[in-house]
Amino acid sequence: MLKKRLIFTLLYCDGGYVLSRNFRLQTVGDLAWLRENYDFDAIAQSIDELVVLDVSRGERDTAAFAEHLKELSASYFLPIAAGGGLRSLEDGYRLLAANADKLVVNSPIIDNPALVRTLAQTFGSQSVVASVDCRKTEAGYRVFIHNGETDSGLDVAAAVSRATELGVGEIYLTAIDKDGTGFGYDGELAVQAAAATRLPIILSGGVGRYQHFCDGLAIEGISGASTANIYNFIVGGLSRARTHIAARDIPMAAWDFNLAALRGTANKEST
């Protein structure tokens, strides 16, 4: 049986980090604040992947984001998916050179599909993640782009199908209405998205309790569950979340880390 994944998402905005509620942003701190409040070596034992999204409003500086990503990841052993504002093949090279393992694309799925196809052909499908943001409307689940402000004209099934056809390897699915509320994932949205593709889907938006991870991962077609709730997961929360999930017989990867030994080896190699 394929292992399920626990994922942590960081939202980067104009040089700092933010919390989001229904895509409205609140600044919480810069990289120094992040390092002061997080032990990323410990987090590496708790999550399967880190997602870092540039949600800056206005014109985005991908070069600056890449430099920030490089600094963030310099000392940590974590698979990273990064994106937001990616507009060219050069941007893709820049983020991968900054220690990203995967590229996350959102608006280009709708307004620049040729770029998405080129990224998948150049770097491989496994390196491209389609971020799909949805709102529930009277017409059903509609996909919104440009920071959740513009109706794409597509429903969730159509957008997921398009992303699949463009060659991406994974879907990162966010319910805008649930984002930051703590009320749990949108299960109905997840079911509709999963019915439109065989690609693995990461759920995002709504985690407030550990059980919400389990509820999301129990949905057929869902392979990963993400949270971006910084305050709830500063002190050991991600470790407890993983323990809670595993205790419910949800298959999770297990590692046997000896951080002291790893650090000792690194120190010896550097001398």
Side-chain angles (χ1 to χ4, degrees):
M1 181 180 294
L2 293 177
K3 304 294 187 182
K4 302 287 188 172
R5 292 174 293 155
L6 176 61
I7 294 164
F8 188 42
T9 298
L10 287 173
L11 303 177
Y12 168 94
C13 180
D14 297 324
Y17 288 92
V18 296
L19 290 176
S20 173
R21 184 182 177 96
N22 307 129
F23 282 30
R24 296 189 298 272
L25 307 180
Q26 175 188 347
T27 301
V28 293
D30 58 10
L31 184 56
W33 177 90
L34 198 69
R35 285 173 169 162
E36 180 181 349
N37 288 279
Y38 280 83
D39 180 353
F40 270 89
D41 284 327
I43 287 176
Q45 298 180 71
S46 305
I47 65 175
D48 298 277
E49 190 169 353
L50 178 67
V51 174
V52 187
L53 300 177
D54 184 353
V55 296
S56 302
R57 302 314 194 222
E59 192 69 25
R60 294 178 188 171
D61 186 342
T62 304
F65 176 52
E67 287 303 310
H68 186 94
L69 184 66
K70 187 182 298 183
E71 187 177 357
L72 169 70
S73 61
S75 304
Y76 310 123
F77 301 97
L78 278 171
I80 296 174
L86 199 156
R87 293 293 180 268
S88 68
L89 185 60
E90 181 184 4
D91 286 343
Y93 278 110
R94 185 176 284 123
L95 292 182
L96 292 173
N99 299 327
D101 300 282
K102 300 177 184 178
L103 303 172
V104 183
V105 291
N106 181 279
S107 299
I109 299 165
I110 308 300
D111 56 25
N112 194 357
L115 172 61
V116 179
R117 192 182 301 278
T118 297
L119 292 171
Q121 291 173 344
T122 302
F123 303 119
S125 293
Q126 77 285 350
S127 297
V128 184
V129 181
S131 171
V132 179
D133 302 326
C134 301
R135 296 183 188 272
K136 191 171 186 178
T137 71
E138 292 182 357
Y141 288 103
R142 303 282 288 192
V143 173
F144 283 71
I145 57 175
H146 305 145
N147 299 315
E149 297 175 355
T150 305
D151 188 338
S152 71
L154 299 180
D155 64 18
V156 62
V160 166
S161 295
R162 174 178 292 190
T164 303
E165 292 168 1
L166 291 174
V168 308
E170 193 168 14
I171 306 294
Y172 183 93
L173 181 69
T174 302
I176 299 174
D177 303 313
K178 292 277 192 171
D179 175 55
T181 64
F183 296 151
Y185 296 119
D186 189 325
E188 183 182 352
L189 172 63
V191 168
Q192 290 190 22
T197 185
R198 293 186 176 182
L199 295 179
I201 296 175
I202 300 168
L203 281 185
S204 172
V207 168
R209 297 186 291 110
Y210 298 146
Q211 184 57 37
H212 291 154
F213 290 115
C214 301
D215 296 340
L217 292 171
I219 299 171
E220 185 174 356
I222 303 305
S223 70
S226 176
T227 178
N229 193 330
I230 291 176
Y231 291 131
N232 281 357
F233 296 92
I234 284 182
V235 184
L238 289 166
S239 176
R240 291 193 293 272
R242 193 175 195 88
T243 298
H244 181 94
I245 295 168
R248 271 66 185 174
D249 295 325
I250 295 174
M252 304 286 287
W255 307 281
D256 184 14
F257 282 120
N258 184 331
L259 293 178
L262 285 173
R263 289 167 177 156
T265 301
N267 289 337
K268 289 177 183 178
E269 290 175 349
S270 64
T271 58

